[in-house]
Amino acid sequence: MVDAASAARQPGGVAPLLPGAVLTGIGVVVLAWASRFYMPRTLNRSLAAFGPLGMVFTVLSWLIVLFTVVCVGIATGYVLAHERPLARRLGTPPPG
């Protein structure tokens, strides 16, 4: 029987995904916190300027920012997981 800790250290396990998951999680939490202050003001301003379409613009803009945070977190995690010292600890397989 294979436990989760040994499976995570095997090449191709889930450990190389950890840096990207942590960075993405931190980015999404920070974005959610900042959205509590920024979004209500922006929604009111865009509703006054553009009507119901302003809400669509605002929500779509927020989604673009959210997916940018996710993509940057995953890409940075990939790069970090392939750096030599961290790759040895995580058991990251060589690229290619």
Side-chain angles (χ1 to χ4, degrees):
M1 182 167 198
V2 178
D3 63 343
S6 66
R9 288 189 198 100
Q10 293 177 355
V14 296
L17 302 175
L18 187 62
V22 169
L23 290 173
T24 302
I26 291 171
V28 169
V29 167
V30 168
L31 179 64
W33 177 80
S35 294
R36 292 179 60 194
F37 303 107
Y38 180 73
M39 287 297 286
R41 194 172 345 141
T42 305
L43 274 172
N44 287 335
R45 196 174 336 131
S46 64
L47 277 171
F50 302 108
L53 198 56
M55 183 176 68
V56 174
F57 292 153
T58 304
V59 172
L60 286 177
S61 299
W62 184 84
L63 283 173
I64 290 170
V65 171
L66 173 68
F67 291 129
T68 302
V69 167
V70 170
C71 288
V72 167
I74 291 171
T76 307
Y78 177 84
V79 170
L80 289 176
H82 284 85
E83 289 295 319
R84 192 163 281 159
L86 195 54
R88 268 183 287 161
R89 286 189 67 105
L90 296 174
T92 304

